[in-house]
Amino acid sequence: MQCDCHEELDDAIAEYSTQVRGSSQVKKNFPGRVLDVHGMDLMENPRETLMKICDFLEITCTKKYLEDCASIVNPVPSHTRQFVKWTEIQLNRVQMLIENHSFLQSYSFEN
């Protein structure tokens, strides 16, 4: 059963848009100082992704730390968007964000 909550979804999309624009501005103002980490990378390869983060931050991570962190990562993605009715306009708004921001290019509504 899907939730018919268009106003709440509009609010969530607006908030997400604000966060995306903020992230884009930070990336522009601080080139090379922002690391893009995709959720699926963390779920599929938690140790490697965590190591990449630690390397980027120039901090030393022990093998135990990486193992402990990786052990609590849920490897199954959540698809809560499937429980909400989306209008064509809402889908288009999110698609436009994806198309207009390179750091979102690996995302899609279907995946």
Side-chain angles (χ1 to χ4, degrees):
M1 187 164 136
Q2 289 184 316
C3 172
D4 192 5
C5 43
H6 298 295
E7 289 180 28
E8 292 88 346
L9 185 54
D10 281 336
D11 291 345
I13 293 169
E15 176 61 29
Y16 182 69
S17 297
T18 298
Q19 292 175 7
V20 167
R21 285 191 305 275
S23 295
S24 184
Q25 193 63 40
V26 168
K27 289 173 68 65
K28 178 181 173 186
N29 291 339
F30 301 97
R33 297 187 61 196
V34 175
L35 176 67
D36 292 326
V37 179
H38 298 281
M40 286 305 295
D41 292 343
L42 184 61
M43 286 187 273
E44 292 173 356
N45 300 301
R47 286 171 207 78
E48 294 83 359
T49 304
L50 290 166
M51 192 65 209
K52 181 179 174 181
I53 294 168
C54 291
D55 288 345
F56 182 80
L57 296 173
E58 298 179 352
I59 59 175
T60 303
C61 298
T62 65
K63 186 175 181 177
K64 179 169 178 14
Y65 173 79
L66 293 173
E67 293 298 323
D68 288 348
C69 290
S71 73
I72 63 170
V73 173
N74 186 351
V76 180
S78 170
H79 295 284
T80 54
R81 66 187 173 274
Q82 296 172 348
F83 300 110
V84 178
K85 289 183 182 177
W86 290 68
T87 67
E88 199 65 35
I89 292 170
Q90 291 168 329
L91 288 169
N92 289 337
R93 286 173 59 198
V94 172
Q95 186 59 41
M96 289 300 294
L97 280 172
I98 292 170
E99 291 173 8
N100 291 325
H101 295 86
S102 62
F103 59 92
L104 297 178
Q105 295 298 305
S106 67
Y107 296 102
S108 72
F109 187 82
E110 293 79 27
N111 299 339

